[in-house]
Amino acid sequence: MKVLVVKLSSLGDVVHTFPALTDAMAAHPGLELDWAVEEAFAPVARLHPAVRNTIVVPLRRMLRKPLKALRSGELAHIRAALGAGRYDVVIDAQGLMKSAVVASLAQGTRHGFDRASAREGLAALIYHRRHHMPEVEHMAVRIRKLFAAALGYSLDGRPADAGLAPAPQAGMAYLVFLHGTTWPTKTWTRAGWRALAEHAGAAGLDIRLFAHGEVERARAEAIAEGLPNVHLLPPQTLETLAPVIAGAAGVVSADTGLGHLAAAYGVPTVGLYGPTDPRLTGLFGPRAVELKATRDCAPCEKARCRIAPQVTEGPPCLADISAAEVWRTLVALRA
C-alpha cells in the first residue's frame, strides 16, 4: 500500500503524527509511506522508520516570495513530486486550507477531518472522505484514529508508540534543559533553571544547553555562569540535536517543539506549562509529565502577561513552579 501523509508543521505537530505512523506500519506490512512536510521539519519527519521519502514543501518561504518560487521552477518541482505517482490513500493530518491544497496536488483518495473537526472547516471540502474526530482528545490520539479510519484497521489493544527509542547513554549522564521558546510568557525564570542545575550537579549530572539567537544565548550564558556542570553547546541543527536529546538521562522543557521530541523518544521529560493548555497538544509519551500553572488566570493563551506586562521572562504563573518541584518530578520519572 502506498500512502502520502500531509503534515506540514510545526515541530510538535510533526512528532504527534509518529504514533499513527507506527500503527499504520504494523497494520500494513510493506507499507510505502511518503510525507509532505515543511523544509524546516523534514529532518524530524525522517526520524520515523515508516517514512520512505519526504517531499519538502517550503510553503512559508514560497508565500513570502511567491514570484521567486514561480520563476525559479520550485513550485513546478513540488507539483511534479506530489503528482509523480498514484497513492492508494492521501491523508491530510493537519486540517488546514494550506495542507488540504497540498494534498489535492497528489493523485489518490484524499482523507481528512470533517468540517466540524478540522482546524479550518473549509479544508474538508477538498477531501474525498471525511472523518469526524472531535477536538476533545489529544491531537496524537485524533491522528491515530484518523489513520485507522483512512487505512481500515482497528486500534483496539494497540498501545501508542511513537516508533522512536532513547539512545544508549555513553559517558557521563547528562540532562538537557530546553529553555528557549517562542513566547516570552512560556519561559521559566533564570533563577529556576540555575537552581535546577544545582540540584543536578549535586546528583552528579551534567547539563547541556543550546541556544538559537541572541536572546536565547544570553539566557543560556546566564544559566551556565559559575556552574561547572552546565555546558553550552555550539549552534545546532535538528539533525544534530535529535541524538543529543535521545541520549539524555532526562529533559526539562518549556512549551517548545523539542520537548515533544524528547517525550516521543521515551526520555524522562518534564514540561513546564503556564499560559498554554497541554490537554490537547501537550507532551505525549510514556515518561512525560507536565507541571501546570495553578493561577486562576492560567492558561490565558497570551504571549504577553496581563498581570505582569513588564515581565519579559518567567511570568508569575511559571515562576510559581519551584526548582525543587521540578527536580522531584524528574527524579520520580527517572526511577
Side-chain angles (χ1 to χ4, degrees), residues 186-205:
K186 292 182 182 180
T187 56
W188 198 30
T189 63
R190 300 185 185 193
W193 288 116
R194 285 181 59 82
L196 186 61
E198 289 172 352
H199 282 293
L205 291 168

Side-chain angles (χ1 to χ4, degrees), residues 63-255:
L63 289 175
R64 285 197 301 268
K65 297 182 178 179
L67 289 179
K68 182 178 180 181
L70 189 63
R71 292 168 180 165
S72 67
E74 190 170 34
L75 181 59
H77 174 76
I78 293 168
R79 288 175 63 94
L82 288 166
R86 184 166 185 85
Y87 293 98
D88 297 298
V89 176
V90 177
I91 303 175
D92 177 9
Q94 197 146 22
L96 298 175
M97 282 302 301
K98 64 181 182 180
S99 58
V101 169
V102 170
S104 73
L105 300 177
Q107 300 180 60
T109 304
R110 295 188 292 275
H111 291 251
F113 299 109
D114 71 2
R115 189 163 185 170
S117 49
R119 291 184 182 179
E120 295 176 358
L122 289 177
L125 298 176
I126 298 177
Y127 311 138
H128 299 115
R129 306 279 175 81
R130 303 166 187 87
H131 305 276
H132 186 58
M133 307 291 170
E135 199 172 1
V136 295
E137 297 177 287
H138 194 283
M139 177 55 76
V141 176
R142 295 175 66 221
I143 296 174
R144 290 186 73 201
K145 291 183 175 181
L146 174 64
F147 271 60
L151 300 178
Y153 56 82
S154 172
L155 292 176
D156 291 346
R158 196 185 297 273
D161 179 3
L164 307 180
Q169 294 180 16
M172 186 174 183
Y174 63 89
L175 307 177
V176 174
F177 287 177
L178 300 174
H179 60 93
T181 186
T182 52
W183 293 1
T185 51
K186 292 182 182 180
T187 56
W188 198 30
T189 63
R190 300 185 185 193
W193 288 116
R194 285 181 59 82
L196 186 61
E198 289 172 352
H199 282 293
L205 291 168
D206 269 0
I207 305 297
R208 297 189 184 180
L209 298 175
F210 73 95
H212 180 72
E214 292 182 8
V215 172
E216 289 188 11
R217 185 164 189 87
R219 186 191 305 119
E221 289 174 347
I223 294 169
E225 186 178 2
L227 298 177
N229 67 314
V230 181
H231 308 285
L232 180 56
L233 301 178
Q236 301 287 306
T237 65
L238 283 175
E239 289 97 333
T240 58
L241 272 175
V244 174
I245 290 172
V251 170
V252 180
S253 177
D255 181 8

